[in-house]
């Protein structure tokens, strides 16, 4: 049984690849994807890893080999769905929250055709050598986040920039929760990115 959802958008629009946070499902980010890009295709997947009964894309303790295995699964799945739904694989934009944001970054940074990513509350630097030259990224962080320290987020942004990524950061005074202010900022950034690349 496939744990995924697909919603077709306009033919000339990109596809948002939606990646949930720890304990989530393929349903979680569908409303957010529609908010960020109402005319886009939406492809939402469920993580394959279970840690203490909670679904993830990879465990927080995953090493490079385990991370690369999951990224390979994602790449194969996306390639298959692009063929099935007649989507342009070079216009797939990962949008991830928390653990899904970490996975979105991994997918973008390991020899993928994806041009950009939206990282909602990414948690930690990855144990991977990222290749982000020419890639555009938007990342959010709450200054009162009880799961992601300011130091961890700073280390992550340094990893992205050192790997060649063009990073835009949005910080707010909330915690690990998603909020309408950051979603509006993410939407504005994504709308501009899609306009200048089409």
């Amino acid at each position: 049984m496939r744990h995924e959802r697909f919603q077709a958008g306009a033919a000339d629009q990109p596809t948002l690849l939606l990646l949930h946070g720890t304990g989530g499902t393929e349903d979680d980010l569908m409303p957010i994807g529609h908010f960020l890009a109402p005319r886009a295709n939406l492809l939402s997947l469920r993580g394959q890893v279970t840690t203490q009964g909670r679904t993830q894309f990879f465990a927080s303790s995953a090493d490079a080999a385990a991370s690369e295995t999951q990224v390979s699964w994602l790449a194969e799945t996306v390639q298959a769905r692009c063929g099935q739904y007649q989507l342009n694989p070079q216009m797939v934009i990962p949008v991830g929250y928390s653990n899904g944001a970490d996975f979105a970054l991994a997918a973008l940074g390991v020899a993928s055709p994806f041009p950009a990513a939206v990282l909602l509350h990414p948690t930690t630097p990855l144990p991977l050598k990222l290749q982000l030259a020419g890639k555009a990224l938007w990342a959010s962080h709450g200054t009162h986040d009880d799961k992601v320290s300011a130091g961890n987020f700073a280390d992550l942004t340094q990893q992205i920039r050192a790997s060649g990524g063009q990073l835009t950061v949005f910080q707010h005074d909330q915690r690990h929760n998603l909020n309408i202010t950051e979603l509006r900022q993410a939407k504005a950034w994504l709308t501009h990115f899609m306009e200048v690349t089409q």
Side-chain angles (χ1 to χ4, degrees):
M1 177 180 177
R2 289 185 190 171
H3 291 292
E4 59 186 64
R5 287 187 62 186
F6 176 74
Q7 179 179 314
D12 62 340
Q13 292 295 296
T15 299
L16 300 190
L17 173 62
L18 305 174
L19 305 170
H20 63 76
T22 298
T25 73
E26 63 276 16
D27 296 323
D28 290 3
L29 295 188
M30 290 293 286
I32 289 174
H34 183 71
F35 175 81
L36 294 178
R39 299 178 64 240
N41 304 290
L42 303 179
L43 175 62
S44 186
L45 305 178
R46 185 186 298 190
Q48 291 194 308
V49 175
T50 301
T51 303
Q52 297 180 338
R54 307 182 75 194
T55 306
Q56 294 180 299
F57 289 97
F58 45 45
S60 58
S61 60
D63 59 15
S67 300
E68 287 171 354
T69 295
Q70 292 306 308
V71 170
S72 294
W73 161 77
L74 179 72
E76 292 168 3
T77 301
V78 171
Q79 183 178 22
R81 299 300 168 263
C82 284
Q84 179 180 355
Y85 299 121
Q86 298 182 319
L87 307 173
N88 181 353
Q90 296 186 339
M91 281 306 295
V92 175
I93 300 174
V95 176
Y97 167 60
S98 194
N99 182 262
D102 298 343
F103 195 50
L105 175 59
L108 188 74
V110 183
S112 79
F114 309 146
V118 173
L119 312 176
L120 301 164
H121 300 266
T123 71
T124 184
L126 299 173
L128 298 171
K129 182 174 177 56
L130 302 179
Q131 304 170 41
L132 295 171
K135 310 283 188 177
L137 302 98
W138 184 95
S140 62
H141 177 248
T143 56
H144 296 286
D145 195 323
D146 56 339
K147 299 180 184 295
V148 185
S149 69
N152 262 11
F153 186 71
D155 290 345
L156 177 65
T157 60
Q158 182 179 13
Q159 181 186 37
I160 291 171
R161 288 176 171 137
S163 303
Q166 301 168 16
L167 176 64
T168 298
V169 171
F170 176 73
Q171 290 191 293
H172 54 78
D173 62 357
Q174 296 192 35
R175 297 165 71 100
H176 201 63
N177 57 292
L178 296 174
N179 60 79
I180 189 62
T181 301
E182 71 179 310
L183 293 179
R184 285 173 177 157
Q185 291 289 325
K187 179 176 183 174
W189 179 88
L190 186 59
T191 299
H192 176 73
F193 175 80
M194 292 189 297
E195 287 174 350
V196 300
T197 55
Q198 287 183 336

